Amino acid sequence: MNGQKYKGIIQKYRRFLPVSEKTPVITLNEGNTPLIYAGYLSGLVGKNCEVYLKYEGLNPTGSFKDRGMTLAISKACEAKATAVICASTGNTSASAAAYAAVAGIKCIVLIPGGAIALGKLSQALIHGAKVLAIKGNFDAALGLVKEITQAFPITLVNSINPYRIQGQKTASFEICDYLGDAPDFQIMPVGNAGNITAYWKGYKEYQSQALSKKLPVMLGFQAQGAAPIVRNKPILNPETIATAIRIGNPASWSSAIDARDESGGLIDLVSDTQILTAYKMLAEKEGIFAEPASAASIAGLLKLIKKGYFKKYNLNNKKFSIVCILTGHGLKDPERAIKTISPPKLMRADLKTIIKEIGY
Ligand SMILES: *Cc1c(COP(=O)(O)O)cnc(C)c1O
């Protein structure tokens, strides 16, 4: 850092990003998120394995979307844009609203009505975005914003905006910087597939500059009811409790396939039940509260362990590493947590009753 204070991903990784001295840097000090060793999960994989969790929920608005948004909004400001628009399953809108607020420009958001988590909706609203809930899903919202930006001078900040991917690739740089190399495997949720595209791009760039030696095997997971890539066809009515990945026709479909195939990885699916089991396990065993879409990473890890996917790596006595991406914070969707666990029992304010209830 050259003795400078941390000021976000544009400042830190400037030489890898399409910015110049003329680019205004709109930042909330995003990035620099912890890579947390996960002892319980490591033990489940085997004695030679180290599992790490990249906790992207600790970004300023609570998801990885901030990495892409700092660059997308900075570039929009450089181009003198006065308004940005996005379709969102929630986190993109929270992030766009916050960064547009710092930049002092207008933000318009189209969300699928009734299908975004409460925390995310509250963020977009409190940051002053113009939020419109449509009677349709994310894919329909994205179709509309594409049309709107073709007709009006409004900048699109969904991940089809190439600056989003550029900003998001910095997460793989951080992982390599921390571990001293890329991990052997990376597991992540796949929705619109911008993030798997971004990570793979980042890993390849770092390796090509000799800043890392290996490339990870990329393992992506979609939700069972929203798994177009796995099923090899768009899903008209995607359904899953993991609302951040409730997408039937991913914009970055082909680059997700490239990441999978070039890395020798896979894109598979996990059920909502598996996601919720992983969601609880992550909170109870590793002390980390991530939103359901993020838990798809852990559900994927558990599925692969069960299938014996890591067996051959456990057999040769070399250490290997797995990084699971936890894309968003658990507080984004408090309703899901409360629905997953039984709500607290209402007790009389009486010492004896309480002591009996807690088992002493
Ligand atoms: C956006 C998002 C995803 C999906 O990322 P894509 O780039 O759309 O594949 C996963 N989890 C969370 C929490 C998200 O906000």
Side-chain angles (χ1 to χ4, degrees):
M1 302 267 346
N2 308 325
Q4 289 171 2
K5 291 190 180 75
Y6 184 78
K7 287 188 196 144
I9 60 117
I10 296 181
Q11 181 237 41
K12 175 91 196 261
Y13 294 109
R14 172 171 283 275
R15 70 190 179 95
F16 298 93
L17 297 171
V19 290
S20 71
E21 323 75 69
K22 285 194 231 92
T23 317
V25 177
I26 309 296
T27 182
L28 290 166
N29 289 16
E30 62 295 314
N32 197 24
T33 57
L35 191 62
I36 303 166
Y37 174 70
Y40 178 79
L41 292 169
S42 298
L44 292 185
V45 185
K47 67 175 178 7
N48 294 321
C49 182
E50 288 181 343
V51 175
Y52 292 90
L53 307 171
K54 182 68 170 161
Y55 195 12
E56 289 288 278
L58 294 187
N59 274 295
T61 78
S63 86
F64 74 83
K65 299 298 198 299
D66 295 343
R67 293 180 185 274
M69 207 52 76
T70 180
L71 194 64
I73 300 285
S74 296
K75 293 301 283 187
C77 289
E78 183 179 352
K80 307 275 183 260
T82 55
V84 296
I85 189 168
C86 63
S88 180
T89 59
N91 283 330
T92 298
S93 66
S95 187
Y99 283 82
V102 194
I105 61 177
K106 192 175 160 109
C107 178
I108 306 149
V109 168
L110 262 61
I111 55 167
I116 88 165
L118 211 57
K120 305 175 188 184
L121 180 61
S122 65
Q123 287 178 289
L125 293 170
I126 201 73
H127 290 303
K130 174 89 179 164
V131 181
L132 303 173
I134 64 156
K135 293 176 184 163
N137 60 25
F138 170 83
D139 304 289
L142 185 58
L144 285 165
V145 301
K146 279 188 197 163
E147 284 191 52
I148 293 168
T149 51
Q150 272 157 24
F152 300 96
I154 309 176
T155 304
L156 185 128
V157 293
N158 279 101
S159 58
I160 44 180
N161 176 326
Y163 298 125
R164 284 276 312 277
I165 306 283
Q166 289 281 354
Q168 284 170 212
K169 76 184 179 189
T170 58
S172 23
F173 300 165
E174 288 177 12
I175 291 170
C176 295
D177 288 347
Y178 186 86
L179 294 177
D181 199 351
D184 295 286
F185 301 92
Q186 173 167 309
I187 310 184
M188 65 192 303
V190 175
N192 214 22
N195 212 27
I196 190 170
T197 303
Y199 271 97
W200 184 237
K201 182 174 170 59
Y203 283 124
K204 285 195 296 186
E205 284 182 20
Y206 239 42
Q207 192 208 34
S208 74
Q209 304 229 4
L211 292 165
S212 57
K213 289 191 233 38
K214 56 191 174 196
L215 290 170
V217 174
M218 301 292 284
L219 307 166
F221 284 88
Q222 302 198 290
Q224 186 163 30
I229 298 178
V230 181
R231 302 193 192 284
N232 203 24
K233 61 165 198 284
I235 307 296
L236 265 178
N237 295 303
E239 277 306 338
T240 168
I241 51 99
T243 50
I245 52 172
R246 187 170 173 261
I247 291 173
N249 192 8
S252 300
W253 191 317
S254 68
S255 49
I257 301 263
D258 291 346
R260 178 193 71 188
D261 295 347
E262 289 170 30
S263 74
L266 54 84
I267 296 179
D268 195 357
L269 54 80
V270 283
S271 69
D272 280 4
T273 308
Q274 289 172 313
I275 289 173
L276 289 174
T277 301
Y279 172 68
K280 265 183 80 176
M281 176 193 280
L282 188 61
E284 288 177 353
K285 302 290 189 189
E286 300 290 2
I288 296 181
F289 189 23
E291 65 169 282
S294 308
S297 293
I298 307 305
L301 173 67
L302 298 175
K303 182 172 180 178
L304 292 175
I305 293 171
K306 211 166 170 188
K307 272 185 166 171
Y309 181 85
F310 299 107
K311 228 181 196 151
K312 62 171 183 269
Y313 301 94
N314 273 320
L315 288 178
N316 69 36
N317 247 335
K318 250 182 68 198
K319 284 239 173 288
F320 67 102
S321 56
I322 303 173
V323 169
C324 299
I325 311 300
L326 300 179
T327 45
H329 203 290
L331 287 173
K332 292 277 191 173
D333 193 356
E335 286 177 310
R336 180 54 58 189
I338 295 165
K339 267 189 220 154
T340 304
I341 318 294
S342 38
K345 219 166 155 179
L346 192 60
M347 307 285 298
R348 265 198 309 132
D350 170 69
L351 189 62
K352 260 196 186 148
T353 325
I354 288 175
I355 287 173
K356 188 166 168 237
E357 181 68 23
I358 60 183
Y360 284 86

